[in-house]
Amino acid sequence: MRQAIPRNNGCRISDEWTYREQRVLVMENDLLRIVVLLDKGSDIVTFEHKPTGIDALWKAPWGDIISPGKHITTRPRAEGNFSDFHEGGWQECFPNGGRVCEYRGAEMGLHGEVYGLPWECRIVEDSRERVSAELTVRTRRTPFLIRKTLTISDGLGSLEIAETVTNEGRYPMEFMWGHHPAFGAPLLSGDTYVTTGARTARLDPGEDPDSRFSGETIAPPTAVPGRSGEPIDILRTPGPSDVVSDMFYLTDLDEGFYALTNMSLGLGFAMEFDPAVFGCIWYWIACNAPRGAPFHGRSYTVALEPFTSWPAILTHAIENGTQRSLDPGESLSTAFRAGMFHAESPPQSRSELRYHR
């Protein structure tokens, strides 16, 4: 912790805040306000476009952030406690992506380990032109070190993330790695469109009664056969009264990017990443569904998640060869950018993204 230089404009940063007994990192400039939960997975819980006051991220319907020390679990869940403490927002998923599995004697719960761990924070740059913080964590059930640097610059409505994963164990380790930002209203509406660099949509094998699709579906994202055979453009998001529960893996990326653009607002959120590291995008749609726990039909959200691997279980990713692996002492580094933008039409490529005022 360090004393930030007081400023009323340009870039600002502080790790001196707490919220509900949790350490919080706040980063902002005149366009963005970013809030990170340091004691819970480095979750990004606020990604606010300050000129409009719109926060791109979804908030869970069961309430605000819960401090784990204030919560008594009624009964352990087989999937772990991710849902009990899920406040919405943006999580990092590592070393397992989705559902439960066991790997080398370690039980992997929903979304892995790092979402529930406290991260160390060090402010490494604090000027009007640029602010940066370095966050680090070591996993417990697996031998990994993760180090990432968050940066925002004056005049840009985007967050830069540079990240490295290192295997500190004595044996090779396999893993899957992704980022899970979930978006909600008002950015999400029936007039919101997704554009990506993906050419293929693969339906998750898990069945849901509110899914619009069934069977082993592999198709272009704009023409996925529905249950009755009619083509559905999954890149137009459902409206707030629709009941939809779908899960896709968007693969065969020409570019590492996606944009979620609300045409009524003329505002969008975009993420740019290296497709050599994050080779697919998980596309989760939960609009007034799923019917079971913990949602009970109370969610209106979509998540667009750059991931190294698919499907949503580490052991299954190993079976289809999409997992990543690191030898002892080996590291994998990457960098990506996420930001808010104004647009009259959905951007079709990374070159069309503009994060300036």
Side-chain angles (χ1 to χ4, degrees):
M1 182 181 294
R2 63 186 292 275
Q3 178 66 43
I5 299 172
R7 282 188 298 274
N8 293 319
N9 54 28
C11 298
R12 287 89 82 195
I13 189 169
S14 176
D15 60 354
E16 297 188 22
W17 297 94
T18 60
Y19 181 73
R20 296 200 168 186
E21 301 181 351
Q22 296 196 46
R23 293 175 302 134
V24 171
L25 172 70
V26 180
M27 307 174 68
E28 61 184 315
N29 59 19
D30 294 343
L31 296 175
L32 279 185
R33 182 171 181 265
I34 308 293
V35 179
V36 182
L37 298 183
L38 297 174
D39 284 331
K40 183 185 174 295
S42 71
D43 289 8
I44 298 176
V45 292
T46 299
F47 203 107
E48 180 187 349
H49 183 247
K50 292 172 71 173
T52 61
I54 290 176
D55 186 347
L57 299 176
W58 173 68
K59 312 305 176 191
W62 41 81
D64 207 346
I65 298 161
I66 300 175
S67 172
K70 297 287 188 178
H71 177 79
I72 300 175
T73 302
T74 57
R75 180 179 174 86
R77 298 169 62 102
E79 68 176 27
N81 62 4
F82 178 87
S83 297
D84 291 339
F85 297 103
H86 186 208
E87 73 288 334
W90 172 350
Q91 286 74 43
E92 183 151 358
C93 302
F94 185 93
N96 183 40
R99 295 182 291 273
V100 177
C101 70
E102 183 175 315
Y103 175 73
R104 297 196 179 183
E107 293 183 358
M108 299 286 184
L110 181 65
H111 294 321
E113 286 194 75
V114 299
Y115 76 84
L117 293 174
W119 291 56
E120 295 301 316
C121 176
R122 181 172 68 93
I123 294 175
V124 295
E125 187 168 354
D126 182 4
S127 69
R128 187 190 184 285
E129 293 73 30
R130 181 181 169 98
V131 293
S132 295
E134 181 186 74
L135 310 183
T136 57
V137 71
R138 282 183 166 88
T139 55
R140 298 297 189 267
R141 298 186 179 188
T142 51
F144 292 103
L145 168 69
I146 302 179
R147 189 183 307 276
K148 64 183 174 184
T149 301
L150 310 182
T151 301
I152 60 173
S153 300
D154 188 36
L156 282 177
S158 61
L159 170 70
E160 299 173 58
I161 302 177
E163 192 157 17
T164 299
V165 173
T166 301
N167 176 9
E168 296 188 316
R170 296 182 62 184
Y171 305 99
M173 291 293 295
E174 295 164 304
F175 61 92
M176 59 197 316
W177 180 19
H179 283 261
H180 175 49
F183 306 100
L187 184 64
L188 182 64
S189 78
D191 200 25
T192 300
Y193 294 81
V194 177
T195 47
T196 80
R199 289 181 278 112
T200 305
R202 302 171 183 268
L203 182 67
D204 185 82
E207 292 287 334
D208 189 287
D210 292 313
S211 175
R212 296 170 289 178
F213 310 94
S214 64
E216 293 292 329
T217 301
I218 302 175
T222 54
V224 182
R227 288 185 180 272
S228 61
E230 79 285 3
I232 297 175
D233 181 358
I234 63 171
L235 300 183
R236 179 168 183 168
T237 64
S241 62
D242 293 329
V243 179
V244 175
S245 180
D246 294 331
M247 177 67 185
F248 285 93
Y249 308 106
L250 304 180
T251 61
D252 301 318
L253 304 183
D254 291 327
E255 283 191 292
F257 101 102
Y258 69 76
L260 186 77
T261 309
N262 185 307
M263 296 308 300
S264 297
L265 297 174
L267 186 69
F269 177 100
M271 188 175 290
E272 303 173 71
F273 53 91
D274 182 358
V277 176
F278 299 118
C280 63
I281 301 168
W282 294 12
Y283 183 22
W284 175 58
I285 305 172
C287 297
N288 303 303
R291 302 182 187 192
F295 296 100
H296 302 289
R298 296 175 294 168
S299 61
Y300 180 57
T301 183
V302 304
L304 290 156
E305 313 167 45
F307 253 91
T308 57
S309 320
W310 63 273
I313 305 173
L314 174 58
T315 51
H316 291 186
I318 293 171
E319 290 172 5
N320 75 9
T322 61
Q323 87 284 7
R324 299 301 298 251
S325 63
L326 290 173
D327 289 331
E330 188 180 11
S331 297
L332 174 64
S333 297
T334 194
F336 53 102
R337 181 190 299 270
M340 303 282 282
F341 62 89
H342 289 288
E344 296 181 358
S345 61
Q348 301 299 314
S349 67
R350 295 178 68 164
S351 63
E352 296 182 25
L353 296 172
R354 299 289 184 271
Y355 303 110
H356 297 275
R357 300 183 191 278

